[in-house]
Amino acid sequence: MTHGLQATLRRVAPQLMILAAVLLLNVIVFPDFFRIEFQNGRLFGNLVDVFNRGAPTALLCIGMTLVIATRGIDLSVGAVMAIAGATAASLVADGSGWVTALLGALAVGVLCGLWNGVLVAVLRIQPIVATLVLMVAGRGIAQLITEGTILTFVNPGLIHLGAGTVLGVPTPILIWIGLGALITLGVRRTALGMLVEAIGINESSSRLAGINSRVLLICVYLVTGFCAALAGVIVAADIKGADANNAGLWLELDAILAVVIGGNSLLGGRFSIVASLIGALIIQSVNSVILLSGLPPEFNLVIKALIIIAILVIQSPTVKHALYILRASAESAGVDTPAASASAPLAKSTETAR
Amino acid sequence: MKLKSLLIASAMMLAPASVMAADLTIGFSQIGSESGWRAAETTVTKQEAEKRGIDLKFADAQQKQENQIKAIRSFIAQDVDAILLAPVVATGWDEVLEEAKDAEIPVLLLDRTVDASEDLYLTAVTSDLVHEGEVAGKWLVEEMAGKPCNVVELQGTTGSSPAIDRKKGFEQGIAGHDNLKIIRSQTGDFTRSQGKVVMESFLKAEGGANICALYAHNDDMAVGAIQAIKEAGLKPGQDIKIVSIDSVPDIHLAMAAGEANATIELTPNMAGPALDALEAYLSSGTTPPKWIQTESRLYTLKDDNQAVYEAKKGLGY
């Protein structure tokens, strides 16, 4: 158990350091960044916002990590969010309770996942193309459900999922941490995670080894659809309305980016959901820097691009290797320090990036 | 049932005289359903045509210029009396407008203009985005009456012309009043959720007590911001004054509850002035000006916002 925890910590150490660096950037532009108050029955502070606003990307990247581990990709998650939000809103508008609305939205999300899964696993269409279908068509479907308007609702139960709090903690934070923990344990305490990795590394040989790759692939897309639907409900509940045009727009790209920042390979194989989740927090912290800096919005995308490029360059194997060599030669030059841990070169590089 | 009442209504309308209007067939090429406002514009255009007994042929372009060009060509082939066009982009219209001109069919532009020679269209009916921002700015100047006030601004999508012009107009409106200061300005992408997120960061970065007014480039962002203000334990409309643009139904609902203070209408009725100009042109040959500016009406808490909401919510916003 402790060994597993240690291994996880070692795996996510680079991501944690990048997160720390970006949070430090936040403190530089806004010194009160870490101040958290208890106000109005809820935790109130910038750090809380990072966790709260990062919820949709975090939820998406849970499923996305699994899909990418199978050497797939799911471009439809943003559109599935819009469909799920629209479904939940129209259900409560028709007089259903929030539980029915939530279950309905989740069911629709799973259905979308099934569609993607069947296209990929049974019809053998390349994932990027297969999920593109729903990415393009999904928003149209969502608009059909809302009839082109922003469908608003006042159901307190549903609103609570996005804007409410439990013991002062915003509900979305609890939802993404809960689901993240559940799925991580689900794939790591069983052999499922290893089987998913096996498919990503070599599907044919994994099938020959007896893995039912077709069913497992479909299941992975089901999970992604489920996560996307949950994110969609949260986003709709947050603004008390389903905005089919804008809900989850381009969020699939943020989710993929979170997975990449999490150090997962787009070529499939080994994966870490925890690292992806930290990746999602990193993205949200970058957004937070931009908002707090008070710079004109023309700079938003430039700043974001620069920070992301810096993060990816630091993580690139070439740079990692170069830094390792640099460090090793410095050590052999006479400094008598104990052997560096695996993450040490990265710690150094994060500092230089600042 | 609906058709019957429509027929009776138009028959009654036509009965007095207006022989000319009875024969009018007009084609309307609409962009598509990109926003609630667009849907309302379609509804109002249909209503305006119905009121005048005009046979309106409607074509939805699904946000594609090629579909609009196709629609205009088919209107020309059907030999309509005039064409209403809400262009999706500004460029690339010369050829098809030339064809309409050769067929002697007047083209009237709604809501947006095109980069083409002015003699290719009869008139353009649009709102003045700068003016809208200016009305908002002047309202705030009057509301504050010289008291110091820190303003935060939620901009539209960066680089879009409504964002640029509404920002410029507001700055013109408050120019010379040093008591009003824009302390933060950030984009909320014209959406509710971004409006809420950005307002949250404003409230934390500046402190809620330090912000006295919010200017949002559209109502949707203001609606999102209202929720953020409430969650921060402040009273929107009182602790923080809110002025925005568009006049969508939901902002009137917020105003009826005292949670927003003012909105400037971007009227969905572009077709009314256009059809008036067209009828005058066809009956007496009066050439309308090349640009007809629609009214940018200011709604405040003095108006009956509940009634405005009821009237607007059926328009498809």
Side-chain angles (χ1 to χ4, degrees), chain A residues 90-245:
Chain A
S90 71
L91 280 174
V92 289
D94 289 345
S96 312
W98 70 271
V99 180
T100 321
L102 176 63
L103 292 178
L106 293 177
V108 168
V110 170
L111 206 65
C112 292
L114 183 68
W115 163 264
N116 285 331
V118 168
L119 289 186
V120 173
V122 180
L123 300 179
R124 294 281 149 198
I125 300 173
Q126 287 199 354
I128 199 165
V129 180
T131 56
L132 192 66
V133 176
L134 201 53
M135 178 190 179
V136 176
R139 240 158 246 292
I141 296 170
Q143 261 164 8
L144 283 179
I145 299 172
T146 61
E147 292 165 352
T149 62
I150 297 180
L151 203 54
T152 54
F153 49 85
V154 289
N155 184 304
L158 191 59
I159 290 169
H160 190 88
L161 290 174
T165 56
V166 177
L167 299 174
V169 183
T171 327
I173 301 182
L174 299 173
I175 293 177
W176 77 255
I177 292 181
L179 191 72
L182 196 75
I183 292 185
T184 308
L185 288 179
V187 295
R188 288 307 177 196
R189 301 314 288 276
T190 66
L192 272 175
M194 200 183 65
L195 301 185
V196 166
E197 288 173 350
I199 294 178
I201 292 163
N202 190 330
E203 199 190 333
S204 312
S205 42
S206 68
R207 199 160 355 156
L208 289 173
I211 298 173
N212 193 339
S213 67
R214 196 168 287 177
V215 171
L216 205 54
L217 262 179
I218 293 179
C219 285
V220 163
Y221 283 91
L222 291 186
V223 171
T224 313
F226 179 88
C227 294
L230 202 51
V233 172
I234 288 176
V235 165
D238 184 39
I239 57 163
K240 303 175 192 171
D243 186 348
N245 268 323

Side-chain angles (χ1 to χ4, degrees), chain B residues 8-63:
Chain B
I8 294 170
S10 48
M12 271 165 38
M13 205 99 65
L14 301 179
S18 177
V19 185
M20 186 211 74
D23 302 331
L24 275 188
T25 302
I26 290 179
F28 175 30
S29 170
Q30 174 63 293
I31 292 175
S33 55
E34 54 171 18
S35 65
W37 183 86
R38 195 59 65 187
E41 185 192 38
T42 304
T43 313
V44 173
T45 304
K46 286 177 177 166
Q47 285 174 351
E48 286 290 325
E50 197 181 309
K51 211 159 70 185
R52 291 173 167 78
I54 292 169
D55 179 15
L56 188 78
K57 292 186 185 300
F58 178 72
D60 183 317
Q62 299 182 322
Q63 279 90 308

Side-chain angles (χ1 to χ4, degrees), chain A:
Chain A
M1 180 63 210
T2 43
H3 177 76
L5 198 66
Q6 247 175 15
T8 311
L9 267 180
R10 195 170 317 145
R11 164 70 179 80
V12 301
Q15 280 73 36
L16 282 177
M17 284 173 199
I18 293 169
L19 181 61
V22 181
L23 290 179
L24 194 74
L25 214 57
N26 269 292
V27 177
I28 292 170
V29 298
F30 188 68
D32 275 347
F33 180 77
F34 281 112
R35 196 175 71 201
I36 294 176
E37 288 165 13
F38 197 74
Q39 194 176 318
N40 241 13
R42 59 158 57 221
L43 290 174
F44 188 86
N46 285 294
L47 196 62
V48 182
D49 277 359
V50 169
F51 276 78
N52 191 16
R53 292 293 156 213
T57 315
L59 282 170
L60 291 184
C61 79
I62 296 171
M64 191 68 81
T65 309
L66 294 176
V67 168
I68 286 179
T70 65
R71 200 184 275 226
I73 202 151
D74 190 345
L75 295 180
S76 72
V77 286
V80 173
M81 280 176 68
I83 298 175
T87 309
S90 71
L91 280 174
V92 289
D94 289 345
S96 312
W98 70 271
V99 180
T100 321
L102 176 63
L103 292 178
L106 293 177
V108 168
V110 170
L111 206 65
C112 292
L114 183 68
W115 163 264
N116 285 331
V118 168
L119 289 186
V120 173
V122 180
L123 300 179
R124 294 281 149 198
I125 300 173
Q126 287 199 354
I128 199 165
V129 180
T131 56
L132 192 66
V133 176
L134 201 53
M135 178 190 179
V136 176
R139 240 158 246 292
I141 296 170
Q143 261 164 8
L144 283 179
I145 299 172
T146 61
E147 292 165 352
T149 62
I150 297 180
L151 203 54
T152 54
F153 49 85
V154 289
N155 184 304
L158 191 59
I159 290 169
H160 190 88
L161 290 174
T165 56
V166 177
L167 299 174
V169 183
T171 327
I173 301 182
L174 299 173
I175 293 177
W176 77 255
I177 292 181
L179 191 72
L182 196 75
I183 292 185
T184 308
L185 288 179
V187 295
R188 288 307 177 196
R189 301 314 288 276
T190 66
L192 272 175
M194 200 183 65
L195 301 185
V196 166
E197 288 173 350
I199 294 178
I201 292 163
N202 190 330
E203 199 190 333
S204 312
S205 42
S206 68
R207 199 160 355 156
L208 289 173
I211 298 173
N212 193 339
S213 67
R214 196 168 287 177
V215 171
L216 205 54
L217 262 179
I218 293 179
C219 285
V220 163
Y221 283 91
L222 291 186
V223 171
T224 313
F226 179 88
C227 294
L230 202 51
V233 172
I234 288 176
V235 165
D238 184 39
I239 57 163
K240 303 175 192 171
D243 186 348
N245 268 323
N246 298 306
L249 194 62
W250 308 126
L251 225 53
E252 56 277 344
L253 299 180
D254 269 6
I256 294 168
L257 183 63
V259 174
V260 172
I261 292 178
N264 298 296
S265 166
L266 286 176
L267 296 174
R270 296 187 64 184
F271 69 90
S272 164
I273 291 176
V274 179
S276 297
L277 289 175
I278 299 172
L281 287 180
I282 292 171
I283 294 177
Q284 192 54 41
S285 309
V286 171
N287 291 340
S288 167
V289 174
I290 291 167
L291 287 179
L292 289 174
S293 68
L295 287 169
E298 285 78 9
F299 289 99
N300 288 6
L301 295 176
V302 180
I303 299 172
K304 194 168 177 180
L306 285 177
I307 299 179
I308 301 285
I309 289 171
I311 293 171
L312 295 180
V313 165
I314 291 163
Q315 286 193 333
S316 93
T318 323
V319 173
K320 243 193 245 184
H321 185 68
L323 285 169
Y324 180 73
I325 300 282
L326 212 71
R327 192 186 162 90
S329 60
E331 265 167 25
S332 62
V335 191
D336 196 11
T337 46
S341 75
S343 56
L346 269 163
K348 217 172 184 182
S349 56
T350 333
E351 274 161 23
T352 44
R354 249 183 258 137

